[in-house]
Amino acid sequence: MSARIIDGKAIAADIRQEAAEAVRTLVAAGGPRPGLATVLVGEDPASRVYVGSKQRACEELGIESFGHHLPTTASQAEVEDLVCSLNADQRVHGILVQLPLPAGLDEERVLNSISLEKDVDGFHPLNIGRLAQKGRDPLFIPCTPHGALVLLERSGATLRGANAVVLGRSNIVGMPMALLLVRNDATVTICHSRTSDLPAVIRQADILVAAVGRPEMVRGDWVKPGAYVIDVGINRVEDATRPKGCRLVGDVAFEEVKEVAGAITPVPGGVGPMTIAMLMHGTVEAAKRTAISN
Ligand code: NDP
């Protein structure tokens, strides 16, 4: 039997609608209009596209957007000074520094300079540290794994007691994903490039999150029948039949795995749309927190 398709576009649209509603309620109650500052350094075309999509999402939802663009030649001090001024700006509730930064800039130092209360990407070491600690709550959760978790929750997956396997251990996806699943009472195995007999480990998963960046690596016979499969991967592969000569595929061989899994996210249209939706959600939550604390 073919798996249920988890519609990331529809769930992301719901999250965005909820965020827009929360903005209206907050402003109507005399609270601040949420504001997101984006910091783009350099001319990386993909980064420009991502920042543009984030700014457009803000506009749609009634969130104020403050775009800052520094040249590739910007120094470490210039980037950190900009972040410092945004930390002090009361109109700004979330600061997003678009990664990767140009070579020569110290990414860790830039991320550390973002105020904890405005770290809407959730990459500040204190937010990640709190995510990892029992009984502590981070102020923000990294948007892509947060989106993957919401997809699981809203599509009816049972996390408590489930065997979850996360394929990938990056700082932005795999590791925070694993921490989130543990916080939700799943039993989690983290796989990476040195894991032995990957298919056998993955076959144990009631919930599989693949974030590996290898096109269609997870095959149908690696997956436990009925499993929830969340495919974070976005890989461009050649395809002469397409007008652009390429298409996007995930880390999971969708056509094979959908015949075995219970539910699966497509690529595109799965986790992808959730990342910006969760960023909007986080920005609104940050503004709500300042309204409460004032
Ligand atoms: P990274 O390259 O930072 O991490 C990849 C991880 O996969 C590493 O932990 C690596 O192991 C592991 N890995 C690589 N090759 C293998 C292998 N052959 N067997 C087992 N493990 C392997 O990638 P990201 O986490 O940044 O991204 C992963 C995917 O998610 C990419 O396709 C990316 O485009 C996509 N992505 C999608 C987003 C979205 O919005 N939907 C957002 C961010 C990423 P090791 O640690 O040992 O090197």
Side-chain angles (χ1 to χ4, degrees):
M1 205 178 74
S2 207
R4 187 155 52 88
I5 308 299
I6 301 173
D7 186 347
K9 270 194 200 162
I11 296 176
D14 289 345
I15 302 275
R16 286 163 77 126
Q17 210 179 345
E18 288 159 22
E21 185 57 39
V23 172
R24 284 193 288 274
T25 307
L26 183 62
V27 173
R33 179 167 297 282
L36 175 70
T38 53
V39 177
L40 172 66
V41 188
E43 305 299 333
D44 179 58
S47 292
R48 288 180 83 116
V49 170
Y50 293 143
V51 166
S53 313
K54 289 165 188 174
Q55 290 170 337
R56 273 196 303 284
C58 285
E59 268 169 42
E60 262 176 57
L61 272 54
I63 295 173
E64 194 124 23
S65 152
F66 304 93
H68 294 269
H69 189 179
L70 294 176
T72 315
T73 51
S75 67
Q76 184 76 27
E78 279 170 313
V79 181
E80 287 182 32
D81 285 351
L82 172 58
V83 170
C84 261
S85 69
L86 296 172
N87 284 341
D89 188 336
Q90 292 199 350
R91 299 167 305 163
V92 171
H93 303 97
I95 301 171
L96 181 135
V97 176
Q98 187 63 46
L99 302 178
L101 291 170
L105 291 174
D106 183 336
E107 180 179 300
E108 192 178 355
R109 266 178 49 202
V110 171
L111 294 181
N112 287 0
S113 69
I114 298 174
S115 141
L116 205 58
E117 288 73 26
K118 299 190 180 187
D119 172 40
V120 77
D121 248 343
F123 295 151
H124 191 291
L126 279 177
N127 273 325
I128 292 286
R130 287 182 183 173
L131 187 66
Q133 286 179 315
K134 205 173 169 186
R136 308 272 192 282
D137 287 318
L139 290 172
F140 300 97
I141 298 168
C143 299
T144 299
H146 195 185
L149 181 76
V150 170
L151 287 180
L152 284 166
E153 287 171 346
R154 296 203 178 189
S155 58
T158 303
L159 300 179
R160 176 169 292 178
N163 274 336
V165 170
V166 179
L167 179 53
R169 57 176 166 181
S170 72
N171 290 338
I172 61 167
V173 189
M175 193 54 79
M177 186 74 235
L179 295 172
L180 275 173
L181 289 164
V182 172
R183 286 177 82 87
N184 283 277
D185 297 331
T187 303
V188 181
T189 305
I190 304 172
C191 299
H192 45 78
S193 64
R194 302 287 180 268
T195 298
S196 51
D197 201 352
L198 203 53
V201 180
I202 288 178
R203 247 176 243 125
Q204 303 302 313
D206 304 309
I207 292 171
L208 169 66
V209 181
V212 74
R214 300 268 181 266
E216 302 184 318
M217 180 174 146
V218 176
R219 310 310 308 188
D221 62 354
W222 295 20
V223 171
K224 182 175 178 175
Y228 275 75
V229 177
I230 304 290
D231 189 353
V232 182
I234 302 177
N235 309 288
R236 206 173 288 278
V237 294
E238 280 182 22
D239 184 343
T241 68
R242 300 291 174 102
K244 285 187 178 166
C246 64
R247 68 191 157 95
L248 293 182
V249 298
D251 292 340
V252 172
F254 183 82
E255 293 301 327
E256 286 178 22
V257 172
K258 82 174 179 7
E259 297 307 319
V260 187
I264 185 169
T265 59
V267 177
V271 178
M274 293 299 288
T275 300
I276 292 185
M278 298 322 296
L279 177 68
M280 299 298 115
H281 166 83
T283 305
V284 177
E285 289 302 305
K288 280 196 207 164
R289 274 197 292 270
T290 64
I292 292 166
S293 64
N294 284 335

